[in-house]
Amino acid sequence: MSACAPTHATDPTRTEHLHQPHSPPPGPRRRFRIAGADLSASIAVFLIALPLSLGIALATGAPLQAGLVAAAVGGLVAGWIGGCPLQVSGPAAGLTVITADLIHQYGWRTTCAITVLAGLAQLGLGCLRVARSALAVSPAVVHGMLAGIGVTIAVAQVHIVLGGTPQSSVLANLRALPAQLANLHPAAVAVSTLTLTLLLLWPRIPGRAGRALRRIPGALVSVAGATVAATLAGLTLPRVDLPSWSSHALAGLPEGPVLGLAAAVLTTTLVCSVQSLLGAVAVDKLVAARPGLTARVRRADLDRELLGQGAANIVSGALGGLPVAGVAVRSSANVKAGAVSRNSTMLHGVLVVIAALLMVPLLERIPLAALAALVMAVGIQMVSLHHIRTVTRHREVLVYAVTTLGVVFLGVLQGVALGIAVAVAVAMHRLAHTRITYEERGGVHHVAVRGQLTFLAVPQLSRTLHLVPQGAHAVVELDGSFMDHAAYESLQDWQNTHTACGGTTEVSGRRTETRADGPTPRAETEAETDTKAEGEGEGEQGASVGCRCRPWTPWRNHRCERPGSARPAGTPGAPDDRDRPDRGTGTGADTGSPSGHQLARGISAFQRNTAPRVRGELARLAREGQQPSQLFLTCADSRVVTSMITSSGPGDLFVVRNVGNLVPLPGEEGGDDSVAAAIEYAVDVLRVRSITVCGHSGCGAMQALLTAEPGGAATPLRRWLRHGLPSLERMADDGRPWARLAGRAPADAVERLCLTNVVQQLEHLRPHASVARALRDGVLELHGMYFHVGEAQAYLLTGAEGDEAFGHVEAAGLSDTPGPGKM
């Protein structure tokens, strides 16, 4: 059944009736049901969490049971209460250095008390609903903090890998490394080497066997393989020691200086919260990349996630566990394993409890060197090359490097504070730094200002402006979003003086006020700056200097012409084209005509305002080539702006436009190979996943089909419109139901033909060889769309083959609807 309905988003504020009024309430719902996908995902996450939890506990110097307690509590408590259903919480490598320092300074029982206090602080922050403010921390600081922690972990674990004991600081570990290398423990080195080799090679096993084996986590395979090898070889090594749970140490009253304890609580709270919140945001991105999952899993509630993490830390600390935070590795594995609800996270916690109670004999066979090698690999991976490239591209490598070195040599809290200070200093430098250049080209003196124009730049601006000779023509280009009053007055005074001496000036790149002697710069208020930024972000095909029109305003509706520019003919004072001396010259540079002037202004606005914003993305597309996911075939009508009605950007749509959005049948005599070639290229070369045929209201081609008289000259337009005759015949067939638009009949015959034409052209697509082959292989979908110009409303076509009745469809998107390609 075909259907066409408006793509209105669902209003989240409307209450949904679960049963009809005055009817008995429904029976009790089943409150706990485990999906098969959640069960399999929980097993995958458990197999990763078990060795990592023991390894992190070993790296901190805490009792090994503490890692299992934190993993179980993170799964059960944070998984149940937290606001990110698919995030997996537990002992995190990012907290290793902090916890190790706390244990070394205060002892284990006080460290547990600090964990409880940090959990209470997280509860308070969650109640204050300040979770979003944590995201204001520069990513360079966060990535630098994690990299510094990773370096610290890796350097410390090297000693255990070599058969020794780590020292209390990075510098001490580095100083002790030569002596440790001189006294290697061969058995520990062999087990560690085997662990790292399995961890490195397991994801790279080729072929079908590799794809099947990679379902088993590499962390489990490496530790299990090293354990089996050490056991069969009879190696004498320190192994996991899990004392009886009856002797497990719980939290005690905190002992130590108040300021030191407060700093410890603050550090633990900060790192736990930031890591968990950033992890929740990352999980949202992973969920959005899985088709169909966004309808089942809601976006993360960061304040609730903070409450869940706080509750988990309170319980974990009280039970003698490590601090808990969201863990990226386990969360990513959870999403990729197919989890669909928070049940997978909670089940993984149950499995950890079962393992801690029933698998103690097996766990005690694991060599400590294998766990140390695993944690060392995790620490090395925390120094991400991708993050380094990202901060380098954004010119924040200094912040990253300072934070990393600060964490390594000073500590986490000190390193983060130092990184934030450097980030603020860099931001202030960028805000205050202004580059002003002077250049003469073709007798025109150009003064270019790059950056924010504040009072700090006034001396430099004044010196540069006075390089312009008196009586010359000067162009001042302002490339910045802010000008304060001091800079405004300096520029205006110079402009008045230069004009009085017989010179001419032109100020571009900023809103200007019109004066008799030329444009005058005007300082913007904050509200105006926001409005301007909004307009630039939406698209400025008509924006230019002095333009205050709304985004997507057609040229003819602009009310921001420059002084002395030509006005449309027929308006008072507008010269008639017949009186223009250059009329009919045919030169492409004739920007004096209204149309040429509008086009030139539009291009100028793009180069000045939009090009700097999209240049990076277009450069990436130029390097990588286009990879569109959609072939969008629509009418050439100027009112149908594809990027506007689809909210798409460069590289998203492969667009084919013609009169009437027609698709000639393949092999048809006198057919059009340009459309067929575009279809073949899109399907066979670009590998698009869907083709959309979009019609629109008031289509002139459909009106011409309805009003065409038999005979007449075979003009190119008439020859082309014959490809729309099957649509006309389809509409005239009384045996077919009428097309309906969102439950109503078409307004007139033209609208009915426009709708019918979309369905007919979808049928014309099927016989094309590339389309038929892709549909048969199940790699292509066909969709119909209708855009009502007068209502600014888009409609999607859905339904079963052979039925042209249009019904309502969900506004979940094309991929969620059984489009005509699925008939």
Side-chain angles (χ1 to χ4, degrees), residues 347-431:
L347 277 175
H348 124 269
V350 173
L351 293 175
V352 172
V353 172
I354 295 174
L357 296 177
L358 303 181
M359 295 176 59
V360 173
L362 290 177
L363 297 178
E364 289 185 333
R365 292 182 175 272
I366 300 176
L368 296 183
L371 294 178
L374 176 64
V375 176
M376 184 181 72
V378 172
I380 294 173
Q381 291 172 354
M382 292 173 70
V383 186
S384 170
L385 293 178
H386 171 70
H387 291 159
I388 294 175
R389 285 193 293 267
T390 300
V391 298
T392 302
R393 187 168 62 249
H394 292 283
R395 298 183 299 164
E396 292 184 331
V397 68
L398 177 63
V399 179
Y400 180 91
V402 168
T403 306
T404 300
L405 295 175
V407 170
V408 169
F409 294 108
L410 300 177
V412 176
L413 186 61
Q414 295 87 340
V416 169
L418 192 59
I420 292 175
V422 173
V424 172
V426 170
M428 294 299 294
H429 171 73
R430 290 176 179 173
L431 184 63

Side-chain angles (χ1 to χ4, degrees), residues 65-228:
Q65 294 104 319
L68 299 176
V69 170
V73 171
L76 291 170
V77 178
W80 178 41
I81 301 176
C84 184
L86 300 189
Q87 174 158 258
V88 181
S89 300
L95 295 164
T96 302
V97 176
I98 298 172
T99 309
D101 289 342
L102 294 179
I103 294 173
H104 177 75
Q105 187 172 358
Y106 299 107
W108 173 240
R109 294 172 67 88
T110 298
T111 300
C112 292
I114 291 173
T115 302
V116 173
L117 293 175
L120 291 171
Q122 286 180 299
L123 285 180
L125 293 175
C127 292
L128 293 174
R129 306 185 69 82
V130 297
R132 287 281 172 189
S133 61
L135 303 181
V137 179
S138 169
V141 174
V142 176
H143 298 324
M145 177 192 72
L146 295 177
I149 291 172
V151 170
T152 306
I153 293 172
V155 172
Q157 297 309 299
V158 165
H159 288 272
I160 302 179
V161 166
L162 298 177
T165 304
Q167 305 301 313
S168 59
S169 67
V170 175
L171 290 176
N173 281 319
L174 291 175
R175 284 194 295 265
L177 193 56
Q180 186 64 62
L181 291 172
N183 297 287
L184 295 178
H185 193 294
V189 173
V191 169
S192 300
T193 303
L194 178 59
T195 303
L196 293 174
T197 302
L198 289 173
L199 192 63
L200 180 66
L201 297 181
W202 188 258
R204 293 169 172 80
I205 299 176
R208 293 184 178 179
R211 286 195 297 271
L213 291 174
R214 282 196 294 270
R215 300 189 178 202
I216 306 174
L220 177 68
V221 171
S222 60
V223 173
T227 302
V228 171

Side-chain angles (χ1 to χ4, degrees), residues 67 114 144 212 258 265 337 382 392 435 474 497 499 601 632 670 682:
I114 291 173
V258 175
V265 172
M382 292 173 70
T392 302
R435 182 186 176 197
T497 302
T499 304
R601 292 180 66 232
F632 198 84

Side-chain angles (χ1 to χ4, degrees), residues 437-447 467-469 472-473:
T437 59
Y438 168 78
E439 182 183 8
E440 180 183 359
R441 296 195 304 268
V444 179
H445 300 263
H446 293 265
V447 176
L467 295 176
V468 179
H473 177 59

